[in-house]
């Protein structure tokens, strides 16, 4: 199955600001896509995923949510989600949509480990995401101002089953230290685990 071009009605100011934040940061326009099947297809409203090709900022493809902030109740921190892949893939749109659907009912936050039940990409060793601040980018990428409030951008970092267990046993900071020590190529589907 392939993602579809977004065909929604006109955006509100928040959607415009989020899309502009991404496109300004990457200095290029993205393609707005939706995932046509699954629970997100009907429950997510104007939600979509912006696919941004590589350039000088990153050699990776970026899949960034536009509209996940709307699922956050008043008084809680609003978020958007970003996933990075080595190649363009509709799976990026599907996974960001899946994570946003999960957030709609269970509230993702930094340190959350989101199981997928299958490899994130074909042939992949990772079957879950660690929800994290977007370490690959400078700090300005991680906050989107929306008038009186702001939206936090969180990264869906693919992790292996062993890494997921390690984070549960030793804490997310200990796992992130292992990633730093190993200089992980997190975008590679078949990468080795940093823990056994």
């Amino acid at each position: 199955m392939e993602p579809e071009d977004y065909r929604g009605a006109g955006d509100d100011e928040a959607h415009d600001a989020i899309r502009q934040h991404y496109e300004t940061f990457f200095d290029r326009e993205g393609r707005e896509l939706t995932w046509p099947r699954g629970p997100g297809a009907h429950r997510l409203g104007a939600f979509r995923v912006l696919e941004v090709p590589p350039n000088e900022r990153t050699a990776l493809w970026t899949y960034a949510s536009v509209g996940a902030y709307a699922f956050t109740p008043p008084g809680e921190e609003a978020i958007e989600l970003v996933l990075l892949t080595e190649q363009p893939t509709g799976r990026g749109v599907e996974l960001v949509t899946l994570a946003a659907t999960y957030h709609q009912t269970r509230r993702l936050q930094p340190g959350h480990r989101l199981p997928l039940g299958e490899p994130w990409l074909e042939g992949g060793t990772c079957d879950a995401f660690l929800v994290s601040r977007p370490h690959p980018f400078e700090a300005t990428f991680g906050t989107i101002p929306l008038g009186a409030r702001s939206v936090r951008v969180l990264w869906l970092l693919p992790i292996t089953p062993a890494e997921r267990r390690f984070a549960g046993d030793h804490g997310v900071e200990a796992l992130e230290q292992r990633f730093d020590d190993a200089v992980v190529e997190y975008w590679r589907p078949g990468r080795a685990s940093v823990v056994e």
Side-chain angles (χ1 to χ4, degrees), residues 138-162:
E138 58 202 51
T140 57
F141 180 75
T143 304
I144 304 171
L146 289 182
R149 69 190 277 206
S150 62
V151 173
R152 188 173 188 181
V153 180
L154 297 176
W155 178 29
L156 299 172
L157 170 59
I159 58 173
T160 67

Side-chain angles (χ1 to χ4, degrees), residues 111-189:
H112 194 111
R113 294 173 306 280
L114 174 61
L116 300 174
E118 62 186 14
W120 76 294
L121 292 174
E122 188 175 333
T125 54
C126 300
D127 67 353
F129 289 131
L130 174 64
V131 180
S132 179
R133 72 175 186 80
H135 295 281
F137 303 119
E138 58 202 51
T140 57
F141 180 75
T143 304
I144 304 171
L146 289 182
R149 69 190 277 206
S150 62
V151 173
R152 188 173 188 181
V153 180
L154 297 176
W155 178 29
L156 299 172
L157 170 59
I159 58 173
T160 67
E163 291 164 351
R164 186 170 170 230
R165 286 190 300 274
F166 182 88
D169 293 343
H170 303 283
V172 171
E173 287 184 22
L175 177 60
E176 289 180 334
Q177 185 61 54
R178 292 283 182 108
F179 287 146
D180 290 344
D181 293 345
V183 190
V184 173
E185 293 181 326
Y186 51 83
W187 59 88
R188 299 214 184 273

Side-chain angles (χ1 to χ4, degrees), residues 43-59:
R43 292 186 7 215
L44 298 182
F47 175 87
R48 72 274 201 175
V49 177
L50 190 70
E51 178 189 65
V52 183
N55 69 358
E56 298 78 33
R57 285 271 189 186
T58 177

Side-chain angles (χ1 to χ4, degrees), residues 10 19 27 29 33 36 38-39 62 65 68 70 73 78 83 91 93 115 123 160 174-175 185 188 190:
R19 186 179 59 250
D27 193 26
E29 289 185 15
L33 301 165
T62 303
S65 68
L83 176 67
R91 181 81 166 142
V93 178
T160 67
L175 177 60
E185 293 181 326
R188 299 214 184 273

Side-chain angles (χ1 to χ4, degrees), residues 102-117:
Y102 184 93
H103 174 65
Q104 192 176 31
T105 58
R106 294 181 185 86
R107 306 288 174 255
L108 292 174
Q109 56 189 335
H112 194 111
R113 294 173 306 280
L114 174 61
L116 300 174

